[in-house]
Coordinates of all heavy atoms in Angstrom, one line a residue:
T187 N 49.9 166.1 -31.6 CA 50.5 165.1 -32.5 C 50.8 163.8 -31.8 O 51.5 163.8 -30.8 CB 51.8 165.7 -33.2 OG1 51.5 166.9 -33.9 CG2 52.5 164.7 -34.1
G188 N 50.2 162.7 -32.3 CA 50.4 161.4 -31.6 C 51.8 160.8 -31.8 O 52.6 161.3 -32.6
M189 N 52.0 159.7 -31.1 CA 53.3 159.0 -31.1 C 53.7 158.6 -32.5 O 54.8 158.8 -33.0 CB 53.3 157.9 -30.1 CG 54.6 157.1 -30.0 SD 54.6 155.8 -28.8 CE 53.3 154.7 -29.5
K190 N 52.8 157.9 -33.2 CA 53.1 157.4 -34.5 C 53.5 158.5 -35.5 O 54.5 158.4 -36.2 CB 51.9 156.6 -35.1 CG 52.1 156.1 -36.5 CD 50.9 155.3 -37.0 CE 51.1 154.7 -38.4 NZ 51.2 155.8 -39.4
E191 N 52.7 159.6 -35.5 CA 52.9 160.7 -36.4 C 54.2 161.4 -36.0 O 55.0 161.8 -36.9 CB 51.8 161.6 -36.5 CG 51.9 162.7 -37.5 CD 50.7 163.7 -37.6 OE1 49.9 163.6 -36.7 OE2 50.7 164.5 -38.5
F192 N 54.4 161.5 -34.7 CA 55.7 162.2 -34.2 C 56.9 161.4 -34.7 O 57.8 162.1 -35.2 CB 55.6 162.2 -32.7 CG 56.7 163.1 -32.1 CD1 56.5 164.4 -31.9 CD2 57.9 162.5 -31.7 CE1 57.4 165.2 -31.3 CE2 58.9 163.3 -31.1 CZ 58.6 164.7 -30.9
R193 N 56.9 160.1 -34.6 CA 58.0 159.3 -35.1 C 58.2 159.5 -36.6 O 59.4 159.7 -37.1 CB 57.8 157.8 -34.8 CG 57.8 157.4 -33.4 CD 57.5 155.9 -33.3 NE 57.5 155.4 -32.0 CZ 57.0 154.2 -31.6 NH1 56.4 153.5 -32.5 NH2 57.1 153.8 -30.4
E194 N 57.1 159.5 -37.3 CA 57.2 159.6 -38.8 C 57.8 161.0 -39.2 O 58.6 161.1 -40.1 CB 55.9 159.3 -39.4 CG 55.4 157.9 -39.3 CD 54.0 157.7 -39.7 OE1 53.2 158.7 -39.9 OE2 53.5 156.5 -39.9
L195 N 57.3 162.0 -38.5 CA 57.8 163.3 -38.8 C 59.3 163.5 -38.6 O 60.0 164.1 -39.3 CB 57.0 164.4 -38.0 CG 55.6 164.6 -38.5 CD1 54.8 165.4 -37.4 CD2 55.6 165.5 -39.8
I196 N 59.8 162.9 -37.4 CA 61.2 163.0 -37.1 C 62.0 162.3 -38.2 O 63.0 162.9 -38.7 CB 61.5 162.4 -35.7 CG1 61.1 163.4 -34.6 CG2 62.9 162.0 -35.6 CD1 61.4 162.9 -33.2
E197 N 61.6 161.2 -38.7 CA 62.3 160.5 -39.7 C 62.3 161.3 -41.0 O 63.3 161.4 -41.7 CB 61.7 159.1 -39.9 CG 61.9 158.2 -38.8 CD 61.3 156.8 -39.0 OE1 60.8 156.5 -40.1 OE2 61.2 156.0 -38.0
E198 N 61.1 161.9 -41.4 CA 61.0 162.6 -42.6 C 61.9 163.9 -42.6 O 62.6 164.2 -43.6 CB 59.5 163.0 -42.8 CG 58.6 161.9 -43.2 CD 57.2 162.2 -43.1 OE1 56.9 163.4 -42.8 OE2 56.3 161.3 -43.2
I199 N 61.9 164.6 -41.5 CA 62.7 165.8 -41.4 C 64.2 165.4 -41.4 O 65.0 166.1 -42.0 CB 62.4 166.6 -40.1 CG1 60.9 167.1 -40.1 CG2 63.3 167.7 -39.9 CD1 60.4 167.6 -38.7
T200 N 64.5 164.3 -40.7 CA 65.9 163.9 -40.7 C 66.4 163.5 -42.1 O 67.5 163.8 -42.5 CB 66.1 162.7 -39.8 OG1 65.7 163.0 -38.5 CG2 67.5 162.2 -39.8
T201 N 65.5 162.9 -42.9 CA 65.9 162.5 -44.3 C 66.2 163.8 -45.1 O 67.1 163.9 -45.9 CB 64.8 161.7 -44.9 OG1 64.6 160.5 -44.2 CG2 65.1 161.3 -46.4
L202 N 65.3 164.8 -45.0 CA 65.5 166.0 -45.7 C 66.8 166.7 -45.3 O 67.5 167.2 -46.1 CB 64.3 167.0 -45.4 CG 63.0 166.5 -46.0 CD1 61.9 167.4 -45.5 CD2 63.0 166.5 -47.5
M203 N 67.1 166.7 -44.0 CA 68.3 167.3 -43.5 C 69.6 166.5 -44.0 O 70.6 167.1 -44.4 CB 68.3 167.4 -42.0 CG 67.3 168.3 -41.4 SD 67.2 168.2 -39.6 CE 68.8 168.9 -39.2
T204 N 69.4 165.2 -44.0 CA 70.6 164.4 -44.4 C 70.9 164.6 -45.9 O 72.1 164.7 -46.3 CB 70.3 162.9 -44.2 OG1 70.0 162.7 -42.8 CG2 71.4 162.0 -44.6
Y205 N 69.9 164.8 -46.7 CA 70.1 165.0 -48.2 C 71.0 166.2 -48.4 O 71.9 166.2 -49.2 CB 68.8 165.2 -48.8 CG 68.9 165.6 -50.3 CD1 69.1 164.6 -51.3 CD2 68.7 166.9 -50.7 CE1 69.2 164.9 -52.6 CE2 68.8 167.2 -52.0 CZ 69.1 166.2 -53.0 OH 69.2 166.6 -54.3
E206 N 70.7 167.3 -47.7 CA 71.5 168.6 -47.8 C 72.8 168.5 -47.1 O 73.8 169.0 -47.6 CB 70.7 169.7 -47.3 CG 69.5 170.2 -48.2 CD 70.0 170.7 -49.5 OE1 71.1 171.3 -49.6 OE2 69.3 170.5 -50.5
S207 N 72.8 167.9 -45.9 CA 74.1 167.9 -45.1 C 75.2 167.0 -45.7 O 76.3 167.2 -45.3 CB 73.8 167.6 -43.7 OG 73.3 166.2 -43.6
M208 N 74.8 166.1 -46.5 CA 75.7 165.1 -47.0 C 76.1 165.3 -48.5 O 76.5 164.4 -49.2 CB 75.2 163.7 -46.9 CG 75.0 163.2 -45.4 SD 76.6 163.2 -44.5 CE 77.3 161.6 -45.2
R209 N 76.1 166.6 -48.9 CA 76.5 166.9 -50.3 C 78.0 166.6 -50.5 O 78.4 166.5 -51.6 CB 76.2 168.4 -50.5 CG 74.7 168.7 -50.8 CD 74.5 170.2 -51.1 NE 73.1 170.5 -51.5 CZ 72.6 170.4 -52.7 NH1 73.4 170.0 -53.7 NH2 71.4 170.7 -52.9
D210 N 78.7 166.6 -49.4 CA 80.2 166.4 -49.6 C 80.6 164.9 -49.3 O 81.8 164.7 -49.1 CB 81.0 167.3 -48.7 CG 80.6 167.1 -47.2 OD1 79.6 166.4 -46.9 OD2 81.3 167.7 -46.3
V211 N 79.6 164.0 -49.2 CA 79.9 162.6 -48.9 C 80.9 162.1 -50.0 O 80.7 162.4 -51.2 CB 78.7 161.8 -48.8 CG1 78.0 161.6 -50.2 CG2 79.0 160.4 -48.2
E212 N 81.8 161.2 -49.6 CA 82.7 160.6 -50.5 C 82.1 159.7 -51.5 O 81.2 158.9 -51.1 CB 83.8 159.8 -49.8 CG 84.8 159.1 -50.6 CD 85.6 158.1 -49.9 OE1 85.4 158.0 -48.6 OE2 86.5 157.5 -50.5
T213 N 82.5 159.7 -52.8 CA 82.0 158.8 -53.8 C 83.2 158.2 -54.5 O 84.3 158.9 -54.6 CB 81.1 159.4 -54.8 OG1 81.7 160.5 -55.5 CG2 79.8 159.9 -54.1
V214 N 83.1 157.0 -55.0 CA 84.2 156.4 -55.7 C 83.7 155.9 -57.1 O 82.5 155.6 -57.2 CB 84.8 155.2 -54.9 CG1 85.4 155.6 -53.7 CG2 83.7 154.1 -54.6
P215 N 84.6 155.9 -58.1 CA 84.1 155.4 -59.4 C 83.9 153.9 -59.5 O 84.7 153.2 -58.9 CB 85.3 155.9 -60.4 CG 86.5 155.9 -59.4 CD 86.0 156.4 -58.1
V216 N 82.9 153.5 -60.2 CA 82.6 152.1 -60.4 C 82.2 151.9 -61.9 O 81.7 152.8 -62.5 CB 81.5 151.5 -59.5 CG1 81.9 151.6 -58.0 CG2 80.2 152.3 -59.7
Q217 N 82.5 150.7 -62.4 CA 82.1 150.3 -63.7 C 80.7 149.7 -63.7 O 80.5 148.7 -63.0 CB 83.1 149.4 -64.4 CG 84.5 150.0 -64.6 CD 84.4 151.2 -65.5 OE1 84.0 151.1 -66.7 NE2 84.9 152.4 -65.0
V218 N 79.8 150.2 -64.5 CA 78.4 149.7 -64.6 C 78.1 149.4 -66.0 O 78.4 150.2 -66.9 CB 77.4 150.8 -64.0 CG1 76.0 150.3 -64.2 CG2 77.7 151.1 -62.6
K219 N 77.6 148.2 -66.2 CA 77.2 147.8 -67.5 C 75.7 148.0 -67.7 O 74.8 147.4 -67.1 CB 77.5 146.3 -67.7 CG 77.2 145.8 -69.2 CD 77.6 144.4 -69.4 CE 77.6 143.9 -70.8 NZ 76.2 144.1 -71.4
T220 N 75.3 149.0 -68.5 CA 73.9 149.3 -68.8 C 73.5 148.3 -69.9 O 74.3 147.6 -70.5 CB 73.8 150.7 -69.2 OG1 74.2 150.9 -70.6 CG2 74.5 151.7 -68.3
P221 N 72.2 148.4 -70.3 CA 71.8 147.6 -71.5 C 72.5 147.9 -72.8 O 72.4 147.2 -73.7 CB 70.3 147.8 -71.5 CG 69.9 148.1 -70.1 CD 71.1 148.9 -69.6
L222 N 73.1 149.1 -72.8 CA 73.8 149.6 -74.0 C 75.3 149.5 -74.0 O 75.9 149.2 -75.0 CB 73.3 151.0 -74.3 CG 71.8 151.2 -74.5 CD1 71.5 152.7 -74.8 CD2 71.3 150.4 -75.7
E223 N 75.9 149.9 -72.8 CA 77.4 149.9 -72.8 C 77.9 149.9 -71.4 O 77.1 150.1 -70.4 CB 77.9 151.1 -73.6 CG 77.5 152.4 -72.9 CD 78.1 153.6 -73.6 OE1 78.6 153.5 -74.7 OE2 77.9 154.7 -73.1
V224 N 79.2 149.8 -71.2 CA 79.8 149.9 -69.9 C 80.1 151.4 -69.7 O 80.7 152.1 -70.6 CB 81.1 149.1 -69.8 CG1 81.8 149.3 -68.5 CG2 80.8 147.6 -70.0
T225 N 79.8 151.9 -68.5 CA 80.0 153.3 -68.2 C 80.6 153.5 -66.8 O 80.4 152.6 -65.9 CB 78.7 154.1 -68.3 OG1 78.9 155.5 -68.0 CG2 77.7 153.5 -67.4
T226 N 81.3 154.5 -66.6 CA 81.8 154.9 -65.2 C 80.8 155.7 -64.5 O 80.3 156.7 -65.0 CB 83.1 155.6 -65.3 OG1 84.1 154.9 -66.0 CG2 83.7 156.0 -63.9
Q227 N 80.4 155.2 -63.3 CA 79.5 155.9 -62.4 C 80.1 156.1 -61.1 O 81.2 155.6 -60.8 CB 78.2 155.1 -62.3 CG 77.5 154.9 -63.7 CD 76.9 156.2 -64.3 OE1 76.1 156.8 -63.7 NE2 77.5 156.6 -65.4

Side-chain angles (χ1 to χ4, degrees):
T187 299
M189 182 177 62
K190 178 179 181 293
E191 187 178 10
F192 191 86
R193 289 177 181 167
E194 293 171 346
L195 284 165
I196 282 186
E197 292 179 9
E198 291 167 3
I199 296 168
T200 302
T201 299
L202 293 171
M203 294 176 67
T204 302
Y205 176 81
E206 286 296 329
S207 65
M208 294 297 284
R209 284 181 175 272
D210 59 350
V211 69
E212 175 192 4
T213 58
V214 294
V216 295
Q217 295 298 303
V218 175
K219 188 176 187 302
T220 76
L222 300 178
E223 64 179 9
V224 176
T225 178
T226 300
Q227 299 293 296

